[in-house]
Amino acid sequence: MSVSSTPTSNDACLSIVHSLMCHRQGGESESFSKRAIESLVKKLKEKKDELDSLITAITTNGAHPSKCVTIQRTLDGRLQVAGRKGFPHVIYTRLWRWPDLHKNELKHVKYCQFAFDLKCDNVCVNPYHYERVVSPSIGGFHLACVSVGPSVDALVKDEFDAQPSHSAADGGHSIQTIQHTASSSAPHDAFNSPALLPPADSTSSASSSAFTTPDYWCSIAYFEMDIQVGETFKVPSNCPVVTVDGYVDPSGGDRFCLGQLSNVHRTEAIERARLHIGKGVQLECKGEGDVWVHCLSDHAVFVQSYYLDREAGRAPGDAVHKIYPSAYIKVFDLRQCHRQMQQQAATAQAAAAAQAAAVAGNIPGPGSVGGIAPAISLSAAAGIGVDDLRRLCILRMSFVKGWGPDYPRQSIKETPCWIEIHLHRALQLLDEVLHTMPVADPQPLD
């Protein structure tokens, strides 16, 4: 085989692997990719027509029709490569088409005879026999099933790392993945600047100071795994748009450069992930405190956002949202946050009062704890503390790597590089709420 020509099934395995390696998308390490491709080529060496179909599909980027490329289905349906297990069609589609693909996002084309979902003895791993789609139902939130290309919207979810993980098997709620891509449409108020929020109590003496504008609209802390690296970066109020990127220029004003930060505990895996931060993200403060994210990186970012949770019909803190390259999306709504903190504080205060009355022997009536659903115990509602309310005012975002059920990482603190964004306007409003409606920290039980 000449250097410039495409190999055939008659060529040596090494030549075929080398050619197919040139077409990988870069989401996996070189060593894992090579092991996966070598394993597949060896399995197909005795099925020359299928090997030729694979070579044609990959080297032409699916431009020419190709046949099924099959391997034997294992007992649990998963394939082990380099000590890692995964569904075979997902492994090879990630390798050659979509490196940030999730296992629930694939749908086979009609002419594929051995698609994974057909549960045949053999499984087709031809990446061009599958289309990327948005799941039609995510945690009860129904969506139209549409193809997802480089610039199409999808929805990604995960759990808040402070919450215990659950799966359908253990009876807990199923945390799903929701994705957002560049086709996301902006809400109708995207470019409106809302007026100052009305005080929770216009007669409150604290209200006059609670609605002044802070000098900084947010603070950004950068972490590698569970270690903060560098100083917290404060963004001045006169810089409504701040860029967080992976370059090595000095940070200041409207730009936080993560590339120049050093960490003696940095591993090779973290170093590799940092190389892919690239242009990173832009955070934009609109109006009095709404926040939008624009993904400038070539790789997706993963965001914990109570606003997006609510928009997707999920409980606050119940998810992580994947934001694809070029996507521009609202991730925080100040008014909604303000209402939420008022409701939670009022619920906790009412529950604490009812609990105290019960201890004193004055058992309150069923309607006396306003706003608390019967399924929520008084002790749980009364146990809402300041930290729970502070989470409403914080965004978390990981670069390149996600976490949750679709990933080997269960918490954001297991991702190689991530940031935590404290929103000062929201924290200022929380201070007002706590002054007008104090929430006592739960007392330990004897």
Side-chain angles (χ1 to χ4, degrees):
M1 182 188 79
S2 68
V3 175
S4 59
S5 64
T6 301
T8 70
S9 58
N10 294 320
D11 287 302
C13 286
L14 189 64
S15 299
I16 299 171
V17 170
H18 176 75
S19 176
L20 296 179
M21 279 286 287
C22 294
H23 294 272
R24 66 190 181 94
Q25 294 300 305
E28 297 287 359
S29 67
E30 184 173 354
S31 60
F32 178 87
S33 301
K34 189 173 182 181
R35 291 278 291 277
I37 295 173
E38 283 176 343
S39 172
L40 180 58
V41 170
K42 286 177 182 176
K43 287 184 173 77
L44 297 174
K45 202 58 178 154
E46 300 304 316
K47 298 190 285 187
K48 292 185 179 296
D49 57 335
E50 293 189 21
L51 182 52
D52 282 325
S53 287
L54 175 70
I55 294 169
T56 298
I58 302 307
T59 57
T60 65
N61 296 322
H64 300 295
S66 53
K67 300 176 182 177
C68 285
V69 177
T70 62
I71 60 174
Q72 189 170 1
R73 181 185 290 270
T74 59
L75 287 176
D76 67 355
R78 296 186 298 169
L79 179 70
Q80 182 162 324
V81 177
R84 287 167 48 185
K85 274 196 166 187
F87 295 115
H89 63 312
V90 176
I91 290 174
Y92 292 107
T93 307
R94 278 179 183 160
L95 199 62
W96 282 307
R97 294 193 72 183
W98 301 295
D100 54 359
L101 178 75
H102 288 263
K103 60 187 177 186
N104 298 324
E105 295 178 355
L106 285 182
K107 178 184 177 184
H108 63 270
V109 295
K110 292 180 180 179
Y111 52 82
C112 183
Q113 298 178 336
F114 297 94
F116 182 83
D117 292 339
L118 298 180
K119 302 193 183 304
C120 302
D121 290 339
N122 290 325
V123 178
C124 179
V125 295
N126 185 334
Y128 292 93
H129 277 204
Y130 295 90
E131 295 175 343
R132 193 172 188 179
V133 298
V134 174
S135 172
S137 177
I138 298 180
F141 181 60
H142 295 278
L143 302 169
C145 192
V146 296
S147 296
V148 178
S151 61
V152 180
D153 189 28
L155 290 169
V156 176
K157 289 188 149 183
D158 268 336
E159 60 194 314
F160 189 64
D161 70 88
Q163 303 291 334
S165 62
H166 298 284
S167 68
D170 65 17
H173 62 277
S174 177
I175 306 293
Q176 303 262 339
T177 295
I178 301 186
Q179 306 154 359
H180 306 263
T181 60
S183 68
S184 301
S185 57
H188 62 86
D189 64 344
F191 301 103
N192 293 336
S193 297
L196 292 175
L197 288 169
D201 179 0
S202 59
T203 61
S204 168
S205 59
S207 63
S208 60
S209 62
F211 293 91
T212 56
T213 303
D215 292 335
Y216 301 94
W217 70 267
C218 77
S219 297
I220 306 172
Y222 169 64
F223 294 83
E224 293 176 359
M225 308 293 279
D226 59 351
I227 299 173
Q228 182 174 349
V229 178
E231 299 293 326
T232 299
F233 184 80
K234 293 185 177 181
V235 184
S237 294
N238 61 0
C239 296
V241 179
V242 60
T243 301
V244 183
D245 60 39
Y247 300 125
V248 296
D249 299 320
S251 297
D254 62 353
R255 190 177 177 198
F256 186 18
C257 296
L258 306 179
Q260 44 91 24
L261 300 177
S262 60
N263 176 12
V264 294
H265 302 290
R266 184 172 294 152
T267 63
E268 184 181 348
I270 293 174
E271 193 65 70
R272 283 199 305 270
R274 280 167 52 85
L275 293 174
H276 294 290
I277 296 174
K279 295 179 181 178
V281 295
Q282 276 187 343
L283 304 172
E284 182 174 1
C285 181
K286 290 189 175 186
E288 196 185 351
D290 293 353
V291 178
W292 290 65
V293 167
H294 187 191
C295 182
L296 306 176
S297 173
D298 291 334
H299 295 267
V301 295
F302 299 80
V303 180
Q304 285 178 339
S305 161
Y306 284 11
Y307 169 77
L308 289 177
D309 293 345
R310 195 180 185 96
E311 291 296 295
R314 296 297 291 263
D318 194 37
V320 159
H321 302 261
K322 182 175 184 181
I323 301 180
Y324 280 88
S326 301
Y328 177 63
I329 188 167
K330 185 177 183 179
V331 295
F332 181 79
D333 185 286
L334 186 65
R335 289 176 178 273
Q336 183 189 93
C337 176
H338 190 219
R339 285 194 301 269
Q340 206 167 346
M341 65 176 68
Q342 286 177 316
Q343 290 166 1
Q344 286 194 22
T347 297
Q349 187 184 43
Q355 202 173 33
V359 170
N362 301 320
I363 307 299
S368 61
V369 185
I372 302 179
I376 303 177
S377 69
L378 292 182
S379 59
I384 296 173
V386 174
D387 284 347
D388 299 296
L389 296 175
R390 279 179 60 84
R391 288 193 187 105
L392 300 173
C393 312
I394 295 171
L395 296 169
R396 283 175 163 184
M397 179 187 304
S398 69
F399 294 95
V400 186
K401 300 292 184 180
W403 71 98
D406 293 325
Y407 300 91
R409 299 162 293 276
Q410 295 304 306
S411 158
I412 194 171
K413 292 182 179 179
E414 296 174 32
T415 62
C417 39
W418 59 281
I419 56 176
E420 185 171 86
I421 304 145
H422 289 240
L423 303 171
H424 293 191
R425 187 71 183 98
L427 290 166
Q428 190 182 31
L429 290 173
L430 175 58
D431 185 59
E432 159 72 4
V433 169
L434 294 177
H435 274 87
T436 58
M437 204 176 294
V439 180
D441 286 331
Q443 297 297 316
L445 298 175
D446 294 330

